[in-house]
Amino acid sequence: MSATAAITLYPGRERPVHQRHPWVFSGAIANVRGRPANGDVVDVYDTHQTWLARGTWSSASQIRVRLFTWNEAEHLTGDLLHQRLTQALAGRAALPLLQDNPMTACRLVYAESDNLPGLIVDRYGEYLVVQLLTQGMAVRARQVVDVLAEVARPRGIYERSDAEVRQKEGLPAAVGLLWGEEPDQRILFQTHQAHFTMSWSDGQKTGFYLDQSENRQRVAAYCHDQTVLDCFCYSGGFTIYAAQAGARHITAVDTSAMMLEVLQMHLALNKLDTPVEPVEADVFKLLRQYRQEGRVFDVVILDPPKFAHNQQQIERATRGYKDINMNAMHLIPPGGILVTYSCSGLISPDLFQKVLFGAALDAGRAVQILERLSQAPDHPVRLSFPESEYLKGFICRVW
Ligand code: SAH
């Protein structure tokens, strides 16, 4: 390997680095000494050639360098990975969420928030699912997996790096067993008192939406003896919690017939006999149809997929959020509950609240925010990296 490449920032562009933001954008780079290959370690200097930080190089991404240390003595070795992974796991083990509950699923590593840029690790029972989303992590896959196997002691480690972010890094999707054994059936796991399953081949993310674990409990508390419309239900995260809380009837909507089947399997797994109507439909259309039919629901949950993937999509995304929220409000009787989320990192909590305000005005309803929700504490938000906060939600009363 050649000597470590060095990049120099334009004057004034060192500020975020000083503030420990872990991304260096291509536009901040004045020059590069050496020829770093993708994933190589590079040193970052200011215009006076003062050493600032160290990161890994990615030639195709606008985020050209992902910083992993601001300490010149620290190098990206197996020992450092070991130390960081151990710290991430210790942080999770100490969470009240995991101590008081029989939780067997948890996000163990949340990338930049855990000072491990580009690495996501979720535990499901005895198995780990990883996403290696950057060049820096992709080239170190073997090393990361060996350390993970040692510190987390799973039965198997599976890669689900099929996320769109990989494309921005110029990386192909990568899916498959990396270490250990493959489960012979769907993996069973538990969050609070709810039992779920996931499989390597399930549609999205690492297989389940762990970021909503805490929120499901908060939302369920409003569902006793209520009729519930769970929109974008996936494998039934909210439906199962609502049923356990004594919901009277649940309508669960998703475009994926396969996930609706998994949801029904989860009802049986939890021995729930709550009447649940699975509906395979596009939520945008269904809400309109229900409005025409005069259907009402005491509680409506909206947990859509990410609408804004880049700056250009923000406006269209806000229109989408406004549309479903306004139409949902029409289905709620006075005093009923709207639970609404946005997982688009580019939509700030402020903007989301404004969108909701617009929806309420157009629906002609008075809406009160009862609770503000964010991602579960195993998805910590790092102060120097506001981008790590992406999930926001409101529990509202609609009059
Ligand atoms: N609420 C779920 C997670 C939602 S993920 C949970 O608690 O686990 C988003 C879901 O929306 C996915 O299952 C996806 O299939 C579904 N989806 C995406 N677009 C949709 C649409 N227009 N109408 C209905 N479902 C949609």
Side-chain angles (χ1 to χ4, degrees):
M1 213 168 86
S2 54
T4 307
I7 68 166
T8 305
L9 304 180
Y10 282 115
R13 299 301 293 263
E14 66 285 344
R15 198 161 153 233
V17 180
H18 278 306
Q19 294 180 336
R20 306 251 165 157
H21 193 283
W23 293 350
V24 176
F25 287 93
S26 59
I29 299 175
N31 70 64
V32 184
R33 274 167 291 147
R35 296 174 61 101
N38 277 325
D40 276 359
V41 169
V42 297
D43 281 314
V44 179
Y45 294 86
D46 71 8
T47 192
H48 308 295
Q49 293 308 307
T50 308
W51 188 93
L52 298 175
R54 187 169 285 138
T56 54
W57 181 257
S58 179
S59 63
S61 173
Q62 285 304 306
I63 306 169
R64 201 54 51 90
V65 181
R66 307 256 176 172
L67 301 174
F68 62 85
T69 188
W70 289 259
N71 170 0
E72 199 168 358
E74 212 161 45
H75 294 274
L76 189 43
T77 59
D79 279 352
L80 186 73
L81 285 175
H82 193 282
Q83 181 194 320
R84 299 254 168 107
L85 283 168
T86 306
Q87 182 178 317
L89 267 58
R92 302 314 189 277
L95 285 173
L97 167 72
L98 286 151
Q99 285 172 350
D100 304 342
N101 296 295
M103 296 278 245
T104 58
C106 164
R107 173 147 298 185
L108 293 179
V109 179
Y110 179 36
E112 275 83 346
S113 274
D114 283 303
N115 218 353
L116 289 160
L119 177 65
I120 286 177
V121 183
D122 286 344
R123 173 188 281 284
Y124 295 102
E126 295 176 292
Y127 294 88
L128 302 183
V129 179
V130 303
Q131 293 186 321
L132 302 157
L133 301 175
T134 56
Q135 293 283 357
M137 282 297 164
V139 302
R140 289 171 186 79
R142 193 63 4 242
Q143 206 175 8
V144 169
V145 164
D146 287 346
V147 178
L148 260 180
E150 188 192 330
V151 299
R153 306 205 161 277
R155 276 176 77 165
I157 303 178
Y158 197 82
E159 178 170 19
R160 280 291 300 266
S161 303
D162 46 2
E164 31 136 343
V165 246
R166 289 264 297 199
Q167 285 171 19
K168 295 183 183 162
E169 288 276 317
L171 287 163
V175 180
L177 187 72
L178 290 178
W179 184 91
E181 58 186 81
E182 201 139 353
D184 48 14
Q185 53 189 3
R186 293 181 68 85
I187 297 169
L188 281 161
F189 62 92
Q190 190 175 348
T191 64
H192 302 104
Q193 303 306 321
H195 298 272
F196 294 102
T197 67
M198 57 82 69
S199 114
W200 304 142
S201 55
D202 276 355
Q204 286 128 33
K205 280 210 177 177
T206 63
F208 191 73
Y209 290 84
L210 292 170
D211 51 0
Q212 294 278 27
S213 289
E214 289 288 83
N215 297 337
R216 293 190 180 109
Q217 228 183 10
R218 309 250 306 253
V219 170
Y222 292 86
C223 294
H224 181 73
D225 206 24
Q226 305 292 293
T227 54
V228 178
L229 176 61
D230 180 5
C231 297
F232 309 97
C233 62
Y234 191 59
S235 64
F238 284 100
T239 287
I240 299 298
Y241 277 62
Q244 287 183 333
R248 185 149 30 102
H249 181 278
I250 304 171
T251 306
V253 188
D254 205 284
T255 41
S256 164
M258 188 188 80
M259 293 320 297
L260 288 169
E261 272 176 36
V262 175
L263 178 148
Q264 282 164 290
M265 187 226 294
H266 289 165
L267 284 165
L269 180 68
N270 288 278
K271 303 189 171 52
L272 292 161
D273 54 11
T274 313
V276 173
E277 183 194 356
V279 181
E280 184 188 338
D282 175 347
V283 167
F284 285 85
K285 291 188 188 139
L286 191 75
L287 293 175
R288 284 194 167 73
Q289 182 193 320
Y290 279 179
R291 186 184 170 193
Q292 279 165 5
E293 294 169 1
R295 300 265 308 251
V296 289
F297 300 89
D298 302 318
V299 179
V300 177
I301 302 165
L302 299 175
D303 182 22
K306 193 163 157 180
F307 287 166
H309 297 263
N310 54 51
Q311 294 284 344
Q312 291 72 41
Q313 293 176 348
I314 292 181
E315 205 191 306
R316 188 157 176 265
T318 57
R319 282 203 299 273
Y321 287 120
K322 186 172 170 190
D323 186 78
I324 52 173
N325 280 282
M326 183 192 76
N327 284 311
M329 286 173 195
H330 285 306
L331 308 182
I332 300 171
I337 295 289
L338 171 67
V339 180
T340 182
Y341 295 96
S342 162
C343 64
S344 304
L346 291 164
I347 308 277
S348 68
D350 243 24
L351 176 56
F352 190 48
Q353 184 170 330
K354 286 194 183 105
V355 169
L356 205 56
F357 173 54
L361 280 183
D362 283 7
R365 305 295 292 272
V367 175
Q368 299 167 315
I369 294 175
L370 308 180
E371 299 192 38
R372 290 170 194 275
L373 308 171
S374 180
Q375 60 224 42
D378 53 349
H379 295 57
V381 177
R382 183 166 153 194
L383 282 180
S384 61
F385 183 54
E387 291 85 346
S388 51
E389 182 174 11
Y390 65 96
L391 183 64
K392 59 240 134 232
F394 299 109
I395 301 179
C396 304
R397 196 175 297 287
V398 180
W399 295 102

